[in-house]
Amino acid sequence: MSGQSTTRTVPGSSGPGGARAGGRTGQRLSGLAVALGMVLFLGGFAWGAVLYLPYTVPTTSMAPTIGAGDRVLAQRIDGDEVRRGDVVVFKDATWSNVPMVKRVVAVGGDTVSCCQDGKLEVNGKEIDEPYLPEGSAAEFGNIPEVVVPKGRLFLLGDERSGSLDSTAHLSDAASGTVSRGAVKARVDAVVWPMNGMLEEPAGFEELGALSSPGPLRTVAGLVVAGAVLILGGAAYGPLAKRAGASRSRANAGTAGAR
């Protein structure tokens, strides 16, 4: 015997060329995953930046829906798109001329008053408002009957006892109403703390169609999916190298035991 050992390939296993081919395929797929992830991630952020504006709410006037210091995302909309029940961001010179967040409870042509049985009344219908603080009435003071002029909105805070809303401006020429053109955006979600999407104001449904939520969930889904693809694709190289090293050590141990 010559004392030389003979290396044989086990049937069904890949030789060095096959391993390199498999590695190249994996690298291509990981590269595609990272590229696609970047498109989704950056595209989602860009789409969100175009559609949404971030705001920090400094007071408790919209509690418990939005607390003091909460950060919200509000979809840019035209004032003509506002409907009853929407939580909107607006800016009006007679309301201190700074961005404010309130809930629209009546639109042009509506008659609003309060309170019968502790409930807000719009066009003769009592409105169920489950978003109000638990155990509180719709209004702590009476709202005289107000007919909202065309093209204007009547707004209230969800924390009715301390909100400087339309009830604080009833003596104004417009009876506390705000022009639709003053609206800059509609709040879709509280993102910090992560309370999520605002609940649908179903109590206004009998009076007309409600606003549909914006595409915030889709935007968030794109960003998350992109991040997963980027991390997964980037992790392929180190994981493949570690797996290859483990196989080499296992093969070396098997060969030494023969």
Side-chain angles (χ1 to χ4, degrees), residues 8-27:
R8 292 182 297 174
T9 302
V10 178
S13 67
S14 298
R20 285 197 298 271
R24 286 196 296 271
T25 301
Q27 289 170 5

Side-chain angles (χ1 to χ4, degrees), residues 90-173:
F90 66 96
K91 188 176 180 180
D92 187 275
T94 61
W95 292 47
S96 74
N97 206 31
V98 296
M100 302 187 73
V101 178
K102 304 293 178 187
R103 188 181 296 274
V104 176
V105 298
V107 298
D110 286 347
T111 300
V112 58
S113 63
C114 195
C115 286
Q116 298 294 326
D117 303 323
K119 288 192 173 184
L120 184 74
E121 195 170 286
V122 181
N123 297 340
K125 297 183 181 295
E126 291 186 348
I127 306 300
D128 185 29
E129 300 183 277
Y131 44 76
L132 296 181
E134 188 175 352
S136 71
E139 184 61 51
F140 284 82
N142 289 327
I143 301 177
E145 189 173 279
V146 174
V147 177
V148 182
K150 293 292 184 182
R152 301 188 71 85
L153 307 167
F154 197 89
L155 305 105
L156 297 176
D158 287 357
E159 177 48 82
R160 303 282 161 85
S161 62
S163 174
L164 295 177
D165 48 34
S166 287
T167 60
H169 296 272
L170 291 174
S171 60
D172 296 349

Side-chain angles (χ1 to χ4, degrees), residues 208-225:
L210 304 178
S211 293
S212 299
L216 184 57
R217 286 193 176 96
T218 303
V219 171
L222 290 175
V223 172
V224 171

Side-chain angles (χ1 to χ4, degrees), residues 37-127:
M38 291 293 289
V39 170
L40 295 178
F41 187 80
L42 296 178
F45 263 114
W47 189 20
V50 169
L51 290 180
Y52 286 92
L53 294 167
Y55 291 95
T56 299
V57 179
T59 71
T60 59
S61 68
M62 283 299 295
T65 305
I66 305 170
D70 286 1
R71 295 178 182 273
V72 302
L73 283 180
Q75 183 184 1
R76 302 173 194 260
I77 61 168
D78 187 81
D80 293 336
E81 300 176 57
V82 177
R83 295 178 178 175
R84 302 176 191 89
D86 289 349
V87 176
V88 298
V89 180
F90 66 96
K91 188 176 180 180
D92 187 275
T94 61
W95 292 47
S96 74
N97 206 31
V98 296
M100 302 187 73
V101 178
K102 304 293 178 187
R103 188 181 296 274
V104 176
V105 298
V107 298
D110 286 347
T111 300
V112 58
S113 63
C114 195
C115 286
Q116 298 294 326
D117 303 323
K119 288 192 173 184
L120 184 74
E121 195 170 286
V122 181
N123 297 340
K125 297 183 181 295
E126 291 186 348
I127 306 300

